[in-house]
């Protein structure tokens, strides 16, 4: 798998030895990381400097003093932060059933301690790739919304009917304008939406919807 550029792996574990070992492992694979000794410290960072534009993932210890990893996961889920921040739980054997349940609720995966370095790094790289994919989708949707906002009300009327597969004559009849005017609006819609055909336009709206 190709490494994801400009990515960060967040490590949240109350055990300094685990944090140091994970940071060293990630450095050896050229994966930048940031470590936090508690869920509260990580959450404070996330709220003050949310990583909205770079791929990232979270290695999260399930059991910690204060806010547990599970409580932090639930908080992230409530806030909608899991979309671009895949979570990999680090868990002991006794917590495996709970970890499995969190995967069903949206966690990316869990790794049982002691974990295989290679297996863990493989999953981290897959999580970062998933984060990058989701960020790209968000950018595409944001770009699509910007293009749609550039359309006039009449151009939006024409767009809706073009996507529905209506011919120009029927669009003209429905909107009570000339076929030539429909053609002009249609051309402007294609130009603003950066497409060359009705099929391409429909596909764009479906993917971005």
């Amino acid at each position: 798998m190709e490494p994801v550029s400009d990515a960060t792996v967040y490590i949240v574990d109350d055990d300094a030895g685990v944090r140091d070992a994970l940071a060293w492992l990630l450095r050896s694979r050229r994966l930048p990381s940031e470590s936090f000794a508690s869920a509260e410290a990580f959450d404070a960072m996330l709220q003050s400097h949310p990583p909205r534009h770079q791929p990232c993932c979270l290695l999260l210890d399930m059991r910690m003093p204060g806010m547990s990893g599970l409580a932090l996961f639930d908080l992230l889920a409530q806030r909608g932060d899991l979309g671009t921040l895949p979570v990999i739980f680090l868990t002991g054997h006794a917590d495996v059933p709970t970890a499995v349940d969190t995967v069903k609720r949206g966690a990316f995966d869990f790794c049982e301690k002691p974990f295989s370095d290679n297996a863990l790094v493989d999953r981290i790289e897959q999580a970062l790739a998933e984060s990058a994919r989701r960020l790209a989708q968000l950018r595409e949707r944001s770009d699509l919304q910007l293009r749609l906002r550039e359309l006039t009300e009449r151009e939006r009327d024409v767009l809706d009917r073009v996507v529905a597969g209506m011919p120009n004559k029927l669009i003209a009849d429905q909107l009570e304008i000339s076929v030539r005017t429909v053609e002009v609006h249609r051309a402007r819609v294609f130009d603003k939406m950066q497409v060359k055909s009705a099929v391409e336009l429909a596909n764009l709206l479906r993917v971005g919807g």
Side-chain angles (χ1 to χ4, degrees):
M1 176 180 293
E2 287 291 322
V4 177
S5 60
D6 298 323
T8 300
V9 180
Y10 297 111
I11 303 166
V12 179
D13 197 302
D14 63 303
D15 187 323
V18 171
R19 294 197 305 273
D20 291 345
L22 287 169
W24 179 88
L25 172 64
L26 293 168
R27 279 197 304 273
S28 73
R29 306 298 177 89
R30 297 181 180 177
L31 289 170
S33 67
E34 293 182 26
S35 297
F36 301 85
S38 69
E40 291 87 346
F42 173 74
D43 186 50
M45 182 283 298
L46 197 63
Q47 295 204 61
S48 60
H49 299 93
R52 300 197 185 283
H53 304 296
Q54 72 172 138
C56 55
C57 74
L58 172 59
L59 299 183
L60 180 58
D61 188 24
M62 187 157 280
R63 291 191 179 188
M64 292 180 288
M67 183 188 295
S68 68
L70 196 58
L72 175 61
F73 174 80
D74 289 338
L75 181 62
L76 296 174
Q78 290 169 12
R79 288 206 304 248
D81 291 335
L82 297 181
T84 55
L85 179 63
V87 174
I88 299 175
F89 274 107
L90 305 177
T91 179
H93 177 71
D95 295 317
V96 167
T98 305
V100 171
D101 180 63
T102 62
V103 170
K104 293 177 181 176
R105 294 193 290 117
F108 188 79
D109 205 349
F110 68 92
C111 287
E112 187 178 352
K113 299 175 181 178
F115 41 77
S116 158
D117 288 353
N118 287 335
L120 178 59
V121 171
D122 284 347
R123 289 305 281 157
I124 289 170
E125 289 179 337
Q126 290 162 12
L128 292 173
E130 178 65 13
S131 177
R133 185 187 68 80
R134 293 175 185 175
L135 283 168
Q137 280 187 335
L138 289 175
R139 284 192 293 269
E140 288 174 5
R141 288 173 184 166
S142 177
D143 180 58
L144 175 60
Q145 291 306 313
L146 286 174
R147 288 188 237 171
L148 286 170
R149 283 198 289 270
E150 290 179 358
L151 299 178
T152 65
E153 185 176 348
R154 181 44 56 90
E155 287 167 353
R156 189 61 192 258
D157 290 338
V158 171
L159 176 146
D160 292 340
R161 288 162 175 78
V162 168
V163 170
M166 291 184 186
N168 288 352
K169 178 65 168 65
L170 182 55
I171 295 174
D173 291 344
Q174 282 199 359
L175 298 179
E176 298 181 344
I177 56 179
S178 70
V179 172
R180 176 57 187 157
T181 302
V182 171
E183 290 172 350
V184 170
H185 285 313
R186 184 184 181 116
R188 287 176 180 164
V189 167
F190 283 12
D191 182 58
K192 290 181 180 180
M193 299 303 294
Q194 300 173 27
V195 298
K196 295 181 180 178
S197 70
V199 171
E200 194 178 343
L201 178 60
N203 287 338
L204 175 66
L205 294 175
R206 184 174 67 252
V207 171

